[in-house]
Amino acid sequence: MAGCVPHDHGWAASYKEAQDPKIAVVMPAEAPSIAQEFFESSVTAGHLGIDVIDKVGTPVIAVAAGQVDASFYEPAYGNRVVIDHGPVTGGVSTYTVYKHLEKRLVQPGEQVERGQQIATLGVTGALGGGIPHLHFEVWRGTGKRRHPVDPQRSWANGPGRVTCFDPAAPAETTGFRLTYPVGCR
């Protein structure tokens, strides 16, 4: 991919200077690149997810099993899907959010499995910047009391170890661990 990132696969942008903590990121060579990392700020709007770049129409997949909480279009972020992965320790639920999608392939109430295609990557919404990418977020909480979590903390292979979906890998049995939201080649 030309332009904003040096490689189309296997590369991750650095965290912003002000982000603390910074997580060392290990990208598989076959994973689409991360053009922007999570950035939480009490002063600015921040960037509450990661931006995965690839071609428009690339399959976007569920990072873990769950139930579709929302699937809709809105002007700022375009097509969006939200998945409720249910409660983990202490009854706190984890939600994943997929934005700037070209097409949404699931509806609220549907059950999805890890690795199931839920959408296609796009460039919808005013905040898409004209760059084909998936803006992906992780939130934890109950009801309307949710807070953002750096996705780099929750990969199946451990913090910072981006984990491609592998249908042969054993299913998780404790906690919440996720796989990459875009298929690896």
Side-chain angles (χ1 to χ4, degrees):
M1 176 169 216
C4 62
V5 296
H7 308 286
D8 64 353
H9 282 74
W11 180 86
S14 299
Y15 279 90
K16 291 188 179 212
E17 176 92 17
Q19 178 62 31
D20 190 35
K22 294 171 183 62
I23 298 170
V25 177
V26 177
M27 286 290 293
E30 64 273 13
S33 294
I34 297 173
Q36 189 170 2
E37 293 287 357
F38 179 90
F39 175 66
E40 192 168 28
S41 173
S42 59
V43 180
T44 66
H47 187 256
L48 302 180
I50 60 173
D51 287 347
V52 178
I53 57 167
D54 213 336
K55 296 176 180 76
V56 170
T58 297
V60 173
I61 59 177
V63 300
Q67 182 175 16
V68 177
D69 187 58
S71 179
F72 62 93
Y73 175 87
E74 58 92 11
Y77 292 100
N79 283 311
R80 175 189 312 203
V81 170
V82 180
I83 298 175
D84 180 350
H85 300 282
V88 287
T89 17
V92 175
S93 288
T94 301
Y95 299 83
T96 52
V97 183
Y98 309 75
K99 297 177 179 177
H100 302 305
L101 305 168
E102 176 192 36
K103 293 179 185 169
R104 296 171 281 115
L105 303 176
V106 293
Q107 296 302 316
E110 284 185 46
Q111 294 293 321
V112 295
E113 296 300 321
R114 180 189 308 273
Q116 178 181 332
Q117 184 175 357
I118 59 167
T120 57
L121 187 141
V123 67
T124 60
L127 298 176
I131 299 167
H133 72 284
L134 165 68
H135 177 82
F136 173 72
E137 300 175 349
V138 176
W139 290 75
R140 292 217 171 98
T142 54
K144 295 195 184 285
R145 301 185 79 184
R146 300 177 191 173
H147 64 278
V149 176
D150 185 347
Q152 296 290 2
R153 295 179 173 277
S154 301
W155 300 121
N157 290 341
R161 301 188 59 79
V162 172
T163 309
C164 293
F165 171 68
D166 177 358
E172 68 186 46
T173 56
T174 60
F176 176 78
R177 293 286 169 211
L178 54 92
T179 54
Y180 211 48
V182 176
C184 300
R185 56 179 173 184

